[in-house]
Amino acid sequence: MSSITPSAAPVLELIEIRKSFARLSDSRFSGRRHVLDGVTMTVRSGDIYGFVGLNGAGKTTTIKAMLGLIHPDAGNIRLFGEPASSAALERIGFSPEKPSFYEYLNVEETLRFGTRLSGKSVPESRFVEVLELVDLAGDRQKNVGACSKGMQQRLALAAAMLHDPELLILDEPSSGLDPLGRRMIKDVLQKLKNQGKTLFFSTHILADVEEICDRVGIIHEGRMIFEGPTHEFASSESCMEEKFVQLIASASASNQSSN
């Protein structure tokens, strides 16, 4: 994990983002469920940013807001120093937690199919470059249905980076992978950072955050309860897991006392 200078420009900023959804009971409206409550964060150029939280904390909803897939009830999102726009979203690559592919297409065909759907023009050399980066060049003719979960996760990452985006947003890229699969994903992320890319990924795996992330943001019950350099969150006196458990317990107690 290498440090980024404090002067690095923000590429992604969330400012007081709020989001709620209708709550239904017996198919009738029964109020609103607040999912995001004033989420604020800053992702700087060249960072690897780890976004951590329990299941249901609001991680995926936050990512959907970043990508314009849902509209916040309140707050602002800025991309590359300007209000979020379709042009700015073109500079982002995204990989979902559970990628879904046509199983009868092979690895290379899947990437080419994706470029046709997106309408983007990709140089022929880029297909080779990306497949080599995610260690799938030797499996380019393999049907996706015969690929392991780890291979499919790396294929999703390859698809996300194919148009050479400046910012990559990854939802649980190591979810369900064995230690070797996790290692390969981390190696790819580090290579991308070395190329000058900015990476934002959600995860439950604190050891991965501690190993490769420059900054960490922690969300709990729709609220950010920590954001800052990774080394400030996990000091040498306590491991990240211990600090995380303590922080969640404290935030839960505070939320209960305020209700």
Side-chain angles (χ1 to χ4, degrees):
M1 177 178 63
S2 59
S3 61
I4 299 297
T5 60
S7 60
V11 298
L12 171 63
E13 298 170 272
L14 273 62
I15 305 164
E16 289 291 321
I17 298 298
R18 301 178 187 277
K19 182 64 182 178
S20 62
F21 296 97
R23 191 191 304 273
L24 300 178
S25 178
D26 296 327
S27 300
R28 296 182 179 180
F29 178 76
S30 61
R32 301 196 69 82
R33 178 171 58 93
H34 296 278
V35 179
L36 302 180
D37 186 8
V39 171
T40 296
M41 68 171 69
T42 301
V43 180
R44 297 188 179 279
S45 178
D47 272 350
I48 300 182
Y49 188 112
F51 189 42
V52 184
L54 302 176
N55 289 331
K59 298 189 301 298
T60 297
T61 302
T62 300
I63 289 175
K64 287 180 178 179
M66 292 174 178
L67 297 169
L69 299 176
I70 60 172
H71 297 290
D73 301 332
N76 295 298
I77 299 175
R78 295 177 63 83
L79 293 170
F80 308 102
E82 300 179 354
S85 64
S86 297
L89 289 171
E90 291 289 324
R91 299 162 67 183
I92 295 175
F94 170 63
S95 176
E97 177 183 359
K98 297 178 180 178
S100 180
F101 301 112
Y102 289 110
E103 294 188 351
Y104 56 82
L105 293 180
N106 65 36
V107 167
E108 184 175 352
E109 289 170 340
T110 297
L111 292 183
R112 294 184 181 279
F113 180 62
T115 59
R116 289 200 296 272
L117 287 179
S118 68
K120 294 184 173 69
S121 177
V122 177
E124 192 66 25
S125 59
R126 183 63 178 165
F127 291 97
V128 177
E129 179 183 351
V130 166
L131 287 172
E132 287 179 347
L133 184 61
V134 299
D135 197 25
L136 287 175
D139 297 294
R140 59 196 304 164
Q141 299 303 317
K142 188 172 186 176
N143 279 10
V144 173
C147 291
S148 67
K149 179 176 175 61
M151 293 172 69
Q152 292 191 27
Q153 290 288 80
R154 283 183 280 135
L155 177 57
L157 188 52
M161 69 174 76
L162 196 57
H163 63 294
D164 200 21
E166 299 165 58
L167 168 64
L168 280 155
I169 296 177
L170 316 173
D171 193 3
E172 303 273 3
S174 297
S175 176
L177 299 188
D178 59 28
L180 180 58
R182 282 173 50 204
R183 178 74 267 163
M184 296 182 78
I185 291 291
K186 286 186 288 186
D187 287 346
V188 172
L189 298 187
Q190 193 62 57
K191 289 176 183 176
L192 290 168
K193 175 184 171 66
N194 294 341
Q195 293 178 3
K197 305 300 183 184
T198 304
L199 299 111
F200 175 100
F201 72 95
S202 64
T203 185
H204 294 103
I205 306 171
L206 294 168
D208 291 353
V209 173
E210 191 167 13
E211 181 180 350
I212 68 169
C213 289
D214 301 286
R215 290 174 63 83
V216 59
I218 298 177
I219 189 170
H220 182 61
E221 296 181 352
R223 299 176 182 176
M224 294 294 289
I225 58 175
F226 179 87
E227 186 189 37
T230 307
H231 66 83
E232 288 185 7
F233 181 74
S235 65
S236 57
E237 290 80 18
S238 63
C239 70
M240 179 170 278
E241 181 177 315
E242 180 181 343
K243 184 73 176 290
F244 176 79
V245 171
Q246 293 172 353
L247 190 62
I248 293 295
S250 175
S252 297
S254 177
N255 289 346
Q256 289 176 3
S257 65
S258 62
N259 292 335

